[in-house]
Amino acid sequence: MLGERSCFVVLEWEEFLDPYIQTVGELKIKLRGIRKQFRKQNRHSPIEFVTGRVKSVESIQEKMLLRSIKEENIAQDIQDIAGLRIMVQFVDDVDDVLDLLRQRHDMKIVQERDYIRNMKPSGYRSYHVVIEYPVDTIQGQKTVLAEIQIRTLAMNFWATIEHSLNYKYKGEFPQEIKQRLETTAKIAYELDEEVRKIREDIREAQLLFDPESRKLNDGVGNSDDTDEYYR
Ligand code: 0O2
Ligand code: 0O2
């Protein structure tokens, strides 16, 4: 009996998460498509690479407990069940990505959180955008919320490290780790500032020696999804 009940619950979650899975899949393709278009035109792409994930059921349940969110309010109150991350090379690219997102007709920005100008006390920096995104399912159209985090490679490196340490120490960092995280956050910020000063040179060099652009010139592999971006 218990087995039947938990099986039913699992199926309910699956059904609930399906549109989010579809959303992440569609948005990954669309956002990577933007990069592809820039590359085809031999222009600097403000998007370096894109990742995405659907929040796990455990993670959703944890957030529900932590914030006393009722089941019927999950879709509205947990905005990052569908989560996309856009990594950019230069801080200025963040604004270009934002412009691109704002002019799209297939999504509507409903919230923005600028943790780049307003760094979190942890040292975390990133620009968060919450969108409404309509997905077409066999039951009709369903609009879901998705969170897009936009950050530079340096911000991403720091956030990844901090996230791992947070997992290990559950937010209670030993003093030394805390200090080193502060130092690394400062270094990540300085790295972004330094490359900002020579970004035009870097962009030019990358366009000159970009094997992808050369390949496009001889018309090879343009439509293959597997080579949509380079490190
Ligand atoms: P995941 O999937 O592990 O990344 P919240 O932080 O969720 O309580 P809010 O206002 O709902 O607050 O969302 P916010 O702060 O705009 O965005 C939350 C997400 O931003 C987090 O997701 C992280 O991905 C990221 N983030 C926010 N603060 C930090 C931080 O100090 N360090 C790191 N590494 N990432 C941060 P989750 O929920 O942690 O999920
Ligand atoms: P490749 O050619 O291996 O790089 P999917 O993206 O759907 O194929 P998945 O598992 O959902 O697969 O990937 P996710 O988590 O959305 O994104 C991971 C992708 O981000 C992988 O690309 C990684 O290579 C890429 N990635 C992660 N970190 C970096 C990084 O620091 N720099 C760059 N340029 N890419 C990174 P793929 O798709 O597996 O392709």
Side-chain angles (χ1 to χ4, degrees):
M1 188 65 195
L2 191 67
E4 269 173 42
R5 171 76 190 141
S6 34
C7 181
F8 176 68
V9 172
V10 168
L11 285 177
E12 263 188 351
W13 272 114
E14 256 183 45
E15 202 184 313
F16 173 75
L17 289 178
D18 267 347
Y20 294 94
I21 296 170
Q22 197 175 321
T23 296
V24 170
E26 287 183 14
L27 287 174
K28 274 207 278 198
I29 290 172
K30 288 179 178 185
L31 296 170
R32 287 172 182 170
I34 296 178
R35 173 175 172 82
K36 229 182 219 173
Q37 289 172 51
F38 275 99
R39 301 298 274 261
K40 275 191 181 160
Q41 293 179 13
N42 200 25
R43 288 163 64 195
H44 165 75
S45 165
I47 294 178
E48 180 64 10
F49 68 96
V50 177
T51 63
R53 64 99 185 93
V54 174
K55 218 175 179 66
S56 67
V57 174
E58 297 71 41
S59 201
I60 295 174
Q61 287 171 330
E62 222 172 86
K63 217 164 189 172
M64 285 168 73
L65 267 178
L66 205 71
R67 303 220 187 136
S68 317
I69 297 170
K70 291 195 190 120
E71 229 169 73
E72 60 267 31
N73 296 331
I74 304 176
Q76 198 51 46
D77 291 355
I78 305 187
Q79 300 173 323
D80 66 340
I81 296 175
L84 279 301
R85 215 165 256 168
I86 299 178
M87 264 53 70
V88 304
Q89 289 193 349
F90 309 104
V91 182
D92 296 345
D93 290 336
V94 174
D95 285 329
D96 293 343
V97 172
L98 283 170
D99 286 344
L100 288 166
L101 296 183
R102 285 181 187 130
Q103 73 191 28
R104 292 188 73 99
H105 298 292
D106 56 349
M107 60 181 76
K108 183 178 165 211
I109 297 181
V110 290
Q111 247 187 62
E112 298 188 24
R113 290 193 278 271
D114 184 355
Y115 301 126
I116 293 181
R117 284 171 194 86
N118 312 297
M119 184 180 77
K120 281 203 165 188
S122 61
Y124 177 79
R125 292 167 69 234
S126 235
Y127 199 104
H128 293 192
V129 170
V130 179
I131 59 162
E132 277 175 0
Y133 183 77
V135 272
D136 285 307
T137 72
I138 50 171
Q139 275 89 33
Q141 198 176 71
K142 191 174 174 0
T143 299
V144 300
L145 292 179
E147 184 187 72
I148 305 178
Q149 303 181 342
I150 311 161
R151 48 168 82 152
T152 63
L153 297 171
M155 292 172 198
N156 187 48
F157 183 45
W158 185 90
T160 305
I161 288 169
E162 198 262 359
H163 192 269
S164 311
L165 288 169
N166 221 325
Y167 197 75
K168 177 172 178 190
Y169 293 109
K170 313 224 172 331
E172 304 286 326
F173 294 127
Q175 193 52 30
E176 189 197 343
I177 302 275
K178 198 167 173 267
Q179 245 159 27
R180 295 211 187 274
L181 275 174
E182 275 168 28
T183 311
T184 48
K186 195 164 160 273
I187 293 171
Y189 173 81
E190 281 163 5
L191 177 59
D192 277 335
E193 284 307 300
E194 282 306 308
V195 291
R196 183 207 289 271
K197 291 173 199 157
I198 51 167
R199 69 180 185 283
E200 288 316 322
D201 273 325
I202 298 172
R203 281 178 187 175
E204 243 174 68
Q206 286 175 341
L207 290 178
L208 268 177
F209 298 107
D210 184 351
E212 177 76 350
S213 310
R214 289 204 185 142
K215 196 163 55 189
L216 288 173
N217 287 340
D218 34 78
V220 179
N222 290 0
S223 60
D224 187 351
D225 262 349
T226 54
D227 60 6
E228 56 201 12
Y229 56 77
Y230 277 75
R231 277 158 217 281

